[in-house]
Amino acid sequence: MRAAPPEPEPLQLAGSGEQFLVLGDSGVGKTCLLYQYTDGRFHTQFISTVGIDFREKRLLYNSRGRRHRIHLQIWDTAGQERFRSLTTAFYRDAMGFLLIFDLTSEKSFLETANWLSQLRTHAYSEDPDVVLCGNKCDLLQLRVVSRDQVAALCRRYRLPYIETSACTGANVKEAVELLVGRVMERIENAACNREFSLLLTQSRCLPNIAYGQPEDLVRLHDRREEPCSRRNCRNC
Amino acid sequence: MDEEQMWKGFFFKLQELKMNPPTEHEHQLQDGDDGFFEKFGSLLRQKSQIDEGVLKSSLAPLEENGSGGEEDSDESPDGTLQLSQDSECTSIDTFATESTLASSSDKDISTSVLDSAPVMNVTDLYEEILFEIFNNIGCENNEECTNSLVEFVQDAFKIPNATHEEIYEAARLKEPPNVRLNVEIIKAENLMSKDSNGLSDPFVTLYLESNGSHRYNSSVKPATLNPIWEEHFSLPITENARDEVLIVEVWDFDAAETVKEKVNKILDVKGVKGLSKLMKEIAVTASSGKHDNELIGRAAITLKSIPVSGLTVWYNLEKGSKGRSRGSLLVNLALSAEKNKSVAVQEHKNLLKLLLMYELETSQVANYWWSGKFSPNAELIRSQHAAQSGLTPFDCALSQWHAYSTIHETHKLNFTLFNSILDVVVPVITYMQNDSEDVKTFWDGVKRLLPSCFAVLRKLRSKNTSDKNIIRALNEVLDILKKIKELEVPESVDIFPKSVYGWLHTNDTDETCNIDTAIEDAINTGTREWLEHIVEGSRQSKNTETDDEKLQYVIKLIQMVRSDLQRAMEYFDKIFYHKIQLNYSAVLYLFYDSKLAEICKSIIIEVCNNIKRLDVPDDQFEYLPNLENVNMGTTLFEVYLILKRYVQLGESLCSEPLELSNFYPWFERGVTHWLDISIIKALSRIQKAIDLDQLKAVDETVKYSSSAVDTLSIFYQIKIFWQQLDWPEVEGSYIFVAKIVNDLCRCCIFYAQQMSRRVENIFIADDNNKNFILSEEWCIAINNMDYIRQSLPSFIKELSIDDIIKRLGEYRTNLEAERCASTIKTVIENALDTERNQIVELIEIVARKMAPPIRRYLAEGAEVLAKDSNSMDQLMMYLESSLATLYDTLNEINFQRILDGIWSELSIIMYDLIQSNLDKRRPPAFFQNLNNTLQTMMDCFKMGNLQTSDIKILSSIQSRLRLYSLETSDLIHQYYLERLENQKSQESSPYGQLTITAQLTDTGLLLNILNARNLLPMDSNGSVDSFVKASFMPTSRFNDVPTVKTNVHNKSCFPLYDQEFRINLSDHQRSEKNSLIVFSIKDKDLFGMSSQYIAESYISFADLEATPPGEQIMMNLSRPEYTDSESLRALEYRLGDKQAKDFLKKLKNRSFS
């Protein structure tokens, strides 16, 4: 009996994984959106974030015939004015940003220009990967920001835009994956250089090994079913 | 070793590292980033402690306070270092530079000083002084003394000889002064009784002997022998004062009394003597009708015995030649000349000025030194003038106040002098009218003196000031100010004119200025001048100033301010508070607070805004940028710490809100910048530590190497930085500590990653060898990673996160605080999980690298049928040496992990080996050897420690090995055993059932085949012609036992065979419990050519023995399946074996028929 042809080894980026950062005015729904993404739940009670918060999620990303196992770490920032100069300490660690405004609050939309200016100053580069999110799209009757306004802003700053609802979960996952896609594309483009290619080659030899009883079983089972994959790995 | 003990061991090692000087290794480690973490951590803390010590110094001058034009200190006659004036007076200061007065300058100043005298000039005063010398009063007068005094006065007044001769003759020819004798009758004691009541009614009569007709009388003190008069008299003396005699008589006063009045006094009579006197008086009064005072006693006093300064003395009263005591009289006597009071005072002021200027000139007294002591000649002349002018002590003190304050404007005198004068003047001034001449004179003097008093307050920081002198001067000045402050300033007097006090703050406002506000303004003005001085002295050219130089300037500025405050607290605070209840250092601090806030804020914010953005590395950390701003970062943090300590000092001094208390927001960008630098520097340091690591245990008691210690040292320095930062605002504190935690976690992950790469390179070097030789480096690397991972949580705990969360809960809500705690916990758990995966990954690499030799040894060992091969020994030696190395060098947890890893790999090897050799049609001996090897290795790996999941895998492998190890006949038998188990597990069967009885006897088996039921028809006609055949398994064991067969029963699905068989079995055959009896039921064809197979059933000897004798046994019938048996699969791999081949062929026929 022959085993099925093995799937490509997951590409594991070494280091601490990808760190994203969420920013925007206070009350636009940054924390609720993250909770919806990581836990699938919506908290109706508004609790203002104190400075900084942290969520994580592991996901698989398919690109160019490869499957990437990504450990996503997302920093959630406080939107109040008094925290802005303090939370810039985390901007430099982030590889991508979710910039969120409230579709029912024109002020939060107009503030996005200031947030973008902050990013240009404090992020790891002057042209960071940013996805613009118009949150609370389920509140149709209360909407005050038109699509034309947003389109003009996106054209000016060349931002991808997506409308989300932390309450209903609409497009929440899509927003994050949109940002993941742009960041991964940037990384893969950088992979054209030699050192990064070597690193990718090395990382093939180092599959991500989860530690724990159930996954040990899974791993052993996978190995038994995929002897060719193991041989390929040893031949690397 | 548990985590806590590990942590303690690490801490002790850190202590040793701190006590020992840095080793060459440490130098190499710090070269990469110029000791970045040491600068921000322990070194900066040590510097802070040293700075604190330096502040507690003496009053030695600050070196930075040097200035050009500085005066050298002067030595006083007794060798004490004198108070020296600071030459840095500002333009608004009225003080001129002190210098020795030239002769012509003296004359000019003398003329200027005396310009205000309306009555006489120097010449007139000179003549008056000569006149007074010629007419000396008092016991000091003698010819020799007169001559020396004349010479002295001529020198003091600087009179030429010709002029002197003229004035000399004029003074000599002048009329002698009208001398007056001033007498104070103070009291008498123990007077003689002159009245009938035993007492007297005394009064005093006094007169000059030469003028007995002019008598002065005191008041009468009735009924006392100890009267107190305290009355003053002034007697003119027309003759030579030296020859005059004063007569003082004490009388008993008796008024004119009638006889009746005297008789009434009988009741007051005291004693017999008193009665006798009264009776006598009554007789006299009755006879003469007159009264007469009675003399008690007399005293005669020669005036030549009275000195010029006055005399107070007791005199015994006398009367005639009687020797009995009549009492004593206390008298104060003084001589004076009769002169206009105001003229005399004016003369005295001018005389004091001339004498003082001469004194200062001749004795070369230093500034602030002269304290009121004239030379003997000068003092004699001054006292003669006071006496002959009739000046009171107050008059003298007021004249001194005027004269000395005037001189003080040009030549500073000792403040003790003025303090003493105030002691005399203030009590009298208090009761004078504000419009009197004396009050005006006094306040004019105050106006002249105050500028120098405030100058002392302003110049407390003078250079080259010895401790003793400056403190003494301050004491005197504050005393002076305190006494003046208690007086009410007349409205007409402006003691703070703008022309002199331009520096007064109240001059800018409409507020009323008084001594208290002037004191504070003087202190603040001095502080401002000093601050301006150190600002200008510390600052370099503004055009070319770098950010670091600006910060150094701030540091120096605050340090000097801090020194100033320290001196204030140590030396001046208690003086100010004791004298005038002023908190001096608090006044200083409040002044500095606004000024420093203004200066520091602009500089710090500017520097923070100038911070260049760093290129933060991506998660690959392949390209770490070079940093050139590390010094700027260090200096900025130094400024922060200095400001923090400065604010703490202020909060203990002042209760008012301080501007500098909000200094920390200025540094927010600086702290953010430092955190960015620290992550980059930490990663660089870790990389360098790993490169330098020789992967040997740092000592015999631990199992990690130098890079682990170095990495924790980095964390330690970061912790010190955080503890010193002590960010006051709790929300910012949480954000920063979250950032630090995140950075520490990233460092841990980076360390694990780089350590893995390090040892992978070592493996590449070993790859040339035939076997993977397990090195200590691998084990140390694994230990290092695990050590860092285990140290992380306890280390992060020391960042006081619990305290921050608690304060956050108090500041906001507990719910929000819990979310913050959860955030930090999540970050930590993420890092720990990632790092553990990396450790497990490395362990699995080790296990995987050990796999090829293990595989080769296993294959070789199983290959040889004979047991004389040494492959097994070689395998065991390899495993034992590897495991010994692992055990010695890995810590307990990691050793357990690597056992798991190796065992997992071993499971895979065994599985693969079995599978590959099945394809090769290996003989059963191969698998038997493999099974033995597996058992041995299980013992070696301590089976009990393996995890549950591995036990399942192991059981599967063992079961498989055991199966493939069997011989073919045993394998066939295994198949039938499986069939038996399957038959027992069935509830019913579509092929029917067979019922038998069987019993093992001493000689064999007694078998009775009874019946069958529900047989499945095989013919188209629906009937069965069946018979039963019984055979024994395994066949190799029962070769000599024949197969027995029943009769055929036609056309029946329920045949009744009821046939008994006696079968002979040997003892050996009977003793094997797993032997089987196979019952095959067949359908006989009509032609008898062949029989058709229907079904079969099985029973084991063990089952027979378990059945009571005679009991019927019902068995389900079944047909063999082909595809569900591992035994069949094993048999299929033995196609070369004829027995297996025949069996499989037969089985297929039965299965498919």
Side-chain angles (χ1 to χ4, degrees), chain B residues 1022-1039:
Chain B
S1023 65
V1024 178
D1025 301 325
S1026 68
F1027 66 96
V1028 176
K1029 182 197 293 182
S1031 60
F1032 293 85
M1033 295 285 178
T1035 55
S1036 59
R1037 191 180 296 167
F1038 298 93
N1039 287 327

Side-chain angles (χ1 to χ4, degrees), chain A residues 110-139:
Chain A
L110 297 177
E111 197 71 13
T112 50
N114 287 336
W115 287 109
L116 290 168
S117 175
Q118 282 267 84
L119 281 175
R120 193 172 300 112
T121 303
H122 297 290
Y124 67 92
S125 77
E126 291 186 353
D127 186 23
D129 285 314
V130 182
V131 169
L132 184 66
C133 297
N135 197 32
K136 308 187 186 181
C137 65
D138 56 306
L139 303 177

Side-chain angles (χ1 to χ4, degrees), chain B residues 597-608:
Chain B
E598 179 184 339
I599 296 171
C600 297
K601 179 176 182 180
S602 60
I603 290 177
I604 290 165
I605 290 182
E606 180 188 358
V607 169
C608 288

Side-chain angles (χ1 to χ4, degrees), chain A residues 13-19 31 35 45 47-54 56 58 71 75 82-83 85-90 92-93 95 120-124 126 193 195-196 199 205-211 213 216-217 219-220 223-224 230 234, chain B residues 613-616 619-620 622-623 668-669 672 675-676 727 729 731-732 734-736 738-739 742-743 746 749 753 757 760 808 812 815-816 819-820 823 826-827 830 833-834 836-838 840-841 844-845 848 897 904 908 911-912 947 949-950 953 956:
Chain A
L13 294 178
S16 60
E18 289 191 11
Q19 290 201 357
T31 303
Y35 262 92
Q45 179 188 4
I47 301 175
S48 182
T49 303
V50 181
I52 201 76
D53 201 356
F54 180 81
E56 61 158 340
R58 299 176 190 268
H71 180 199
W75 288 105
R82 71 179 184 278
F83 290 116
S85 60
L86 294 168
T87 53
T88 55
F90 293 86
R92 302 179 193 278
D93 299 336
M95 302 178 75
R120 193 172 300 112
T121 303
H122 297 290
Y124 67 92
E126 291 186 353
N193 67 66
E195 290 83 358
F196 198 78
L199 187 61
C205 301
L206 305 175
N208 185 35
I209 299 176
Y211 191 87
Q213 176 177 338
D216 279 349
L217 278 177
R219 177 173 50 80
L220 290 176
R223 285 182 181 277
R224 187 163 53 187
R230 193 170 48 254
R234 279 195 295 273
Chain B
R613 188 182 64 232
L614 298 172
D615 293 327
V616 178
D619 283 339
Q620 305 308 317
E622 288 301 314
Y623 310 102
E668 278 178 0
R669 290 198 58 175
T672 303
L675 294 177
D676 287 338
W727 193 261
E729 190 247 331
E731 286 177 334
Y734 162 70
I735 295 171
F736 285 140
K739 171 65 172 165
N742 186 48
D743 287 345
R746 293 177 73 188
I749 294 167
Q753 175 192 348
R757 294 184 182 179
E760 285 168 15
L808 203 52
R812 296 178 68 126
L815 183 57
E816 286 165 335
R819 267 179 52 180
C820 296
T823 294
T826 304
V827 174
N830 257 291
D833 191 55
T834 304
R836 180 177 55 208
N837 287 345
Q838 287 176 325
V840 171
E841 187 175 309
E844 295 225 343
I845 290 174
R848 196 176 307 122
R897 283 184 179 142
S904 299
I908 297 170
Y911 185 89
D912 287 347
Q947 294 185 1
S949 59
D950 289 324
I953 301 295
S956 172

